[in-house]
Amino acid sequence: MLHNRFPEEVCQKLGNYVYRLIDPRNGETFYVGKGKNNRVFDHAAGLPEVADDADQNMGAKLDRIRAIKNSGLEVIHVIHRHEIPDDSVFEVEAALIDAYPGLTNTQGGHASSSRGPMNHVELIDKYSLPEFPENPEHALVLININKLEDRYDRRAIYNLVRYCWRVSKERVERAEYVLAVVRGVVVGAFKPTQWMNATPENFPDIPYADGLESHRIGFVGEEAPRAIWDLYAGQRGKRVANPSLKHVQNPIRFWKC
């Protein structure tokens, strides 16, 4: 019996599949991915070619695998669904990523920010709120802040949207306004006055600023003028319908900058 590799005849039958990596010490799923052939086993084997263009930071995942091996155990591999059509594999992977919070995946699932888990109120808002302008006149940065708990807490919206992001400082400085987006709905508009490296010195009022994100940047600023807030966020939010402005995996979208 072959361990941790599929024979060729099995690879040919599997087609596209979505898999989970499980920690045998506690039964916890710590990674979800998609692949073909023996892709599922490459993580634990430590092969360098498993790095995706969109997933360069594999530290947490590899640290977990290393800890499992150091305890004398092996990663458990589960093929969650196989023979998936090419046009469906991203959706299946995304649904599984959404179902397991706390994964070591550095990217969310495909379209998770716009079609991921929502309660009924969020769904009603998403499809009944007024639409965001299709062709905004201002230079904008739209940033996903899906960790927001209360979309009416403007202070929380401001703190989440301003800190901190892996973006070009030169590019974001062209933006007139930064918009906070939750599940495809714009919930806040802010005017940045200064973009800075994400250090404790630059952001003393952010309690979790520890200097480890100094390669990222954030901003200080203020709420946009009332007319701008009403235009882009309104009273309860405005849903983004323009495909050019919708978030897919990258949490940041640019408009005219």
Side-chain angles (χ1 to χ4, degrees):
M1 180 177 178
L2 294 176
H3 294 281
N4 291 350
R5 301 303 285 178
F6 291 126
E8 182 60 32
E9 60 269 25
V10 174
C11 289
Q12 293 177 3
K13 299 290 186 182
L14 286 175
N16 296 311
Y17 59 76
V18 171
Y19 60 89
R20 292 187 287 135
L21 302 184
I22 300 173
D23 189 332
R25 299 170 299 175
N26 57 12
E28 183 177 88
T29 293
F30 65 91
Y31 187 84
V32 166
K34 62 184 180 301
K36 296 181 179 180
N37 302 318
N38 283 294
R39 162 70 173 172
V40 61
F41 303 116
D42 289 345
H43 302 278
L47 300 181
E49 60 266 25
V50 301
D52 296 321
D53 290 340
D55 189 8
Q56 293 297 322
N57 181 14
M58 299 192 301
K61 176 178 62 183
L62 293 182
D63 286 347
R64 186 72 165 262
I65 292 171
R66 190 176 297 110
I68 292 170
K69 289 186 173 183
N70 287 342
S71 69
L73 300 172
E74 295 292 335
V75 174
I76 298 172
H77 307 83
V78 172
I79 304 299
H80 208 81
R81 184 65 58 88
H82 65 282
E83 290 190 89
I84 306 172
D86 290 344
D87 59 357
S88 300
V89 66
F90 285 98
E91 291 292 344
V92 176
E93 180 195 37
L96 201 57
I97 288 174
D98 289 338
Y100 288 92
L103 296 173
T104 57
N105 296 61
T106 59
Q107 295 285 347
H110 178 72
S112 178
S113 62
S114 61
R115 289 187 277 115
M118 303 181 197
N119 61 42
H120 76 286
V121 174
E122 290 172 318
L123 284 169
I124 291 171
D125 282 349
K126 178 177 172 60
Y127 293 109
S128 65
L129 288 172
E131 286 190 6
F132 183 84
E134 184 174 358
N135 292 295
E137 61 180 288
H138 300 97
L140 305 172
V141 178
L142 288 78
I143 300 180
N144 258 342
I145 56 165
N146 286 337
K147 293 181 179 180
L148 181 69
E149 295 181 358
D150 181 359
R151 65 173 57 188
Y152 300 107
D153 185 341
R154 293 193 176 189
R155 171 55 59 175
I157 294 172
Y158 171 63
N159 282 332
L160 284 173
V161 80
R162 72 190 183 103
Y163 185 92
C164 55
W165 309 101
R166 186 179 297 167
V167 290
S168 163
K169 185 171 182 286
E170 180 181 354
R171 188 173 188 185
V172 293
E173 284 180 338
R174 300 179 198 145
E176 297 172 79
Y177 300 104
V178 176
L179 307 183
V181 184
V182 177
R183 299 297 185 195
V185 175
V186 176
V187 297
F190 301 89
K191 184 173 182 61
T193 56
Q194 185 178 8
W195 290 89
M196 302 178 290
N197 289 339
T199 63
E201 293 76 21
N202 288 337
F203 292 91
D205 56 337
I206 299 290
Y208 44 86
D210 53 13
L212 299 178
E213 302 285 0
S214 59
H215 59 290
R216 298 174 180 249
I217 62 173
F219 72 88
V220 292
E222 58 193 17
E223 288 188 8
R226 173 72 178 273
I228 298 297
W229 188 288
D230 289 346
L231 174 63
Y232 292 129
Q235 291 186 346
R236 298 184 58 238
K238 292 193 177 182
R239 55 193 175 94
V240 179
N242 185 339
S244 299
L245 293 170
K246 287 185 175 181
H247 295 84
V248 181
Q249 286 188 310
N250 194 318
I252 297 179
R253 301 289 285 179
F254 293 95
W255 179 263
K256 294 184 177 180
C257 60

